[in-house]
Every structure is written in C-alpha cells, then in structure tokens.
C-alpha cells in the first residue's frame, strides 16, 4: 500500500483488518503533513522509514513478536511532518 500526505493529513484505521499474508509493506510519506496509522494488536510492526525535520514513530504496545502473526513493514519518509503507527 501507499500513503502520501502533502500539506495535509491522513488518519487510517485498519485495526479490524485481517490478512493471510505473512508480510505487508506500506510506503508512508509525509511532507509538511502527518499520517496516523492504526494497526491490529496482533500485527508485528517494523519501521524502516526516515524522518528529516520530522518523525517516523512506532507507538504500538508491544508484546513479544509472535511467530505466525502478520508483519507490517513501513517504509518512506517524513519531511517537516510525521508518520505514527499505533494499535
């Protein structure tokens, strides 16, 4: 998937989503804006994004990474903006 916020914001709640895939990749880019993404409690989150005068933040409540649970990988960048993942 892909999320792009330029001079604005995105609030996306996929906390009720289900998948049979082992890995999901979402590219999230924020430029002078923000992205708030909410994922299911049982998904393992891997942050690979970069913040430049901004933030790329994982605020999920972590339990131990559970084998067999879906993994969501966030890539992209935040320039004068922010990307936040919560559950």
């Amino acid at each position: 998937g892909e999320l792009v916020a330029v001079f604005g914001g995105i609030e996306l709640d996929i906390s009720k989503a289900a998948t049979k895939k082992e890995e999901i990749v979402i590219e999230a880019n924020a430029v002078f804006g923000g992205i708030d993404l909410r994922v299911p409690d049982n998904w393992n989150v891997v942050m690979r994004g970069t913040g430049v005068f901004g933030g790329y933040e994982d605020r999920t409540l972590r339990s131990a990474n559970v084998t067999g649970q879906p993994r969501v990988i966030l890539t992209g960048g935040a320039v004068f903006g922010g990307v936040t993942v919560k559950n």
Side-chain angles (χ1 to χ4, degrees), residues 18-40:
T19 183
K20 293 185 181 202
K21 292 187 174 191
E22 292 179 20
E23 187 173 280
I24 298 166
V25 178
I26 298 174
E27 182 178 350
N29 293 295
V31 180
F32 293 100
I35 297 174
D36 289 323
L37 176 63
R38 190 170 295 272
V39 298

Side-chain angles (χ1 to χ4, degrees), residues 38-84:
R38 190 170 295 272
V39 298
D41 293 338
N42 65 333
W43 285 14
N44 298 317
V45 175
V46 178
M47 300 294 281
R48 294 190 182 153
T50 304
V52 178
F53 295 109
Y56 221 88
E57 187 174 11
D58 178 0
R59 289 190 185 171
T60 56
L61 301 174
R62 293 186 182 261
S63 54
N65 283 347
V66 179
T67 304
Q69 295 297 342
R71 178 175 53 243
V72 61
I73 299 173
L74 269 88
T75 63
V79 180
F80 293 102
V83 175
T84 304

